[in-house]
Amino acid sequence: MMKLTTMVRGLAGDKAARELIRNWEFDEGTLKFWRASSNFVYVFNRDGERYFLRFNFEEEHTAQQLTAELEFMQYLLKHEYPCVAPIPSVNGKWIETIQVPEGQYHGVVFSAAGGIALHATPTARQCRDWGKSLARLHTLSSRYEPGAVRRRSVEDILRLIDQVLRRHPGEQDAMDELHRVSLWLQFLPASRQTYGLIHFDFQLDNIFYEAKERSFHVIDFDDAMYHWYAADIVTALADAESEHDKQAFLKGYRSIRSLDHELEAEFSRFQRFSRLYRFASVLRSLEDSELADVPSWYEGLRTKLLRDCEQERQGFREPW
């Protein structure tokens, strides 16, 4: 989640989006705001085809991390894994950067995903295919050799969480949770089979089902990090509404790739890492967010994030 102050600034008059899109071919008058969370996303057409402009302020994601993300996606595409494709600019670049008074924005463009969004509860068959899709991703990840720039690791994320919490000394329960999670991960066995580059947001809003091929077209590798593959499974399963759905997902996963029983027994602790990371991200987004002159959507979003923070705090007090 980006800082709310960054969101207000980046959306003002759509200025950043309109300047960035000039670096790609597009049909005039088609650029429209889509959503903003960790990034700003706009939709546009080129020759009648739909594309997505995604950009972020430099404080949120560096150009190096974006490069590492795109290199991994290109590797997946090369091995025929169905994910959206990055589109080069008219300058032959994957990433375009614009300078503004407050810093830099980095922009990328992606093709639209094939398939359909599963807004309703997935069927058992779709849950199995969902699990298979993630298992195929992990199989490819286990063979992946990154270039000069690597995506950040779970250790990097723990350091980021620590930096946020140190700015909020009143969040002692969260700091205690960070110490527990860090100690647990320090002694968790890792191998090429169990640890690698994961998606970390393999949920239903980021996957689109293609019934004919029984596969999912994947978007949004923005949270990709080096972590245990089990963490990817746990994050995905947060969208499974029933135990039956979860077991169907795991059955599909195991049909492609083995799942370490010891790591499976640690699923609840991987959930705690995700909760802590989410809490720190939202807490950071709320910093300096008491603004006087704000858009109509601002207060509703800020109130929701404050409520989310309070809900996460309660979880830190649960027995380890």
Side-chain angles (χ1 to χ4, degrees):
M1 185 72 189
M2 73 177 77
K3 285 189 172 183
L4 290 185
T5 51
T6 298
M7 190 178 295
V8 170
R9 187 174 58 230
L11 291 175
D14 298 326
K15 294 177 185 176
R18 287 189 282 109
E19 185 171 348
L20 277 165
I21 197 61
R22 294 173 189 160
N23 293 292
W24 282 268
E25 295 179 351
F26 68 101
D27 299 343
E28 288 289 345
T30 63
L31 182 68
K32 295 180 181 178
F33 171 72
W34 186 254
R35 67 182 184 186
S37 181
S38 298
N39 301 281
F40 302 97
V41 182
Y42 283 70
V43 63
F44 68 95
N45 287 352
R46 186 182 75 185
D47 297 330
E49 295 290 330
R50 199 182 207 195
Y51 294 86
F52 290 86
L53 168 68
R54 194 191 82 187
F55 64 95
N56 61 268
F57 188 54
E58 61 180 348
E59 184 184 20
E60 305 293 333
H61 301 288
T62 65
Q64 289 81 5
Q65 282 295 293
L66 290 174
T67 298
E69 175 191 354
L70 300 183
E71 286 180 351
F72 182 54
M73 294 176 71
Q74 289 166 322
Y75 162 81
L76 295 175
L77 289 165
K78 180 180 177 182
H79 289 82
E80 299 182 343
Y81 186 82
C83 67
V84 293
I87 306 298
S89 70
V90 294
N91 303 311
K93 297 179 181 180
W94 299 112
I95 303 168
E96 290 286 354
T97 299
I98 60 170
Q99 185 72 44
V100 293
E102 60 270 17
Q104 293 182 328
Y105 287 100
H106 303 302
V108 295
V109 165
F110 296 103
S111 59
I116 60 169
L118 298 180
H119 297 296
T121 303
T123 65
R125 176 175 175 173
Q126 289 168 339
C127 285
R128 288 194 298 273
D129 293 341
W130 182 14
K132 288 179 181 180
S133 181
L134 186 58
R136 292 189 183 102
L137 175 61
H138 290 171
T139 298
L140 286 170
S141 174
S142 69
R143 302 168 185 162
Y144 178 61
E145 296 292 343
V149 182
R150 292 172 60 94
R151 288 291 292 182
R152 59 192 179 181
S153 67
V154 63
E155 291 80 12
D156 295 324
I157 298 300
L158 292 173
R159 284 190 286 271
L160 289 173
I161 294 172
D162 181 70
Q163 291 170 11
V164 171
L165 294 181
R166 287 184 185 277
R167 298 197 295 269
H168 300 269
E171 301 290 352
Q172 189 57 50
D173 287 339
M175 185 61 81
D176 292 342
E177 182 80 343
L178 174 61
H179 291 157
R180 288 189 292 266
V181 169
S182 298
L183 186 63
W184 164 61
L185 289 174
Q186 183 179 347
F187 292 99
L188 198 63
S191 68
R192 203 172 182 90
Q193 174 68 18
T194 61
Y195 183 98
L197 188 53
I198 69 171
H199 186 282
F200 201 62
D201 197 6
F202 206 82
Q203 296 182 316
L204 295 178
D205 57 345
N206 287 327
I207 57 177
F208 297 82
Y209 192 57
E210 296 178 316
K212 186 176 180 180
E213 291 80 11
R214 292 190 59 184
S215 66
F216 285 89
H217 210 95
V218 184
I219 68 170
D220 200 2
F221 286 76
D222 178 56
D223 282 318
M225 70 176 80
Y226 283 92
H227 204 325
W228 280 264
Y229 294 122
D232 225 3
I233 297 171
V234 167
T235 306
L237 286 176
D239 264 6
E241 294 191 358
S242 68
E243 185 62 27
H244 184 266
D245 291 345
K246 292 178 182 179
Q247 291 307 315
F249 177 101
L250 292 172
K251 182 177 181 180
Y253 188 95
R254 293 192 188 99
S255 71
I256 301 293
R257 181 178 172 82
S258 63
L259 178 57
D260 186 285
H261 293 298
E262 292 184 8
L263 289 175
E264 189 174 356
E266 300 283 353
F267 273 9
S268 63
R269 292 183 174 179
F270 283 111
Q271 287 175 330
R272 294 186 79 126
F273 166 84
S274 296
R275 175 190 295 161
L276 180 63
Y277 182 29
R278 184 168 57 247
F279 173 79
S281 297
V282 174
L283 193 64
R284 175 183 174 275
S285 75
L286 288 166
E287 292 176 343
D288 305 316
S289 64
E290 295 184 3
L291 305 179
D293 186 17
V294 295
S296 58
W297 52 262
Y298 186 84
E299 286 303 332
L301 176 58
R302 184 172 182 273
T303 299
K304 176 185 180 301
L305 294 179
L306 287 167
R307 188 166 55 245
D308 290 346
C309 271
E310 185 54 39
Q311 184 176 350
E312 300 296 357
R313 287 186 185 100
Q314 297 173 14
F316 301 146
R317 305 184 187 104
E318 295 175 0
W320 181 254

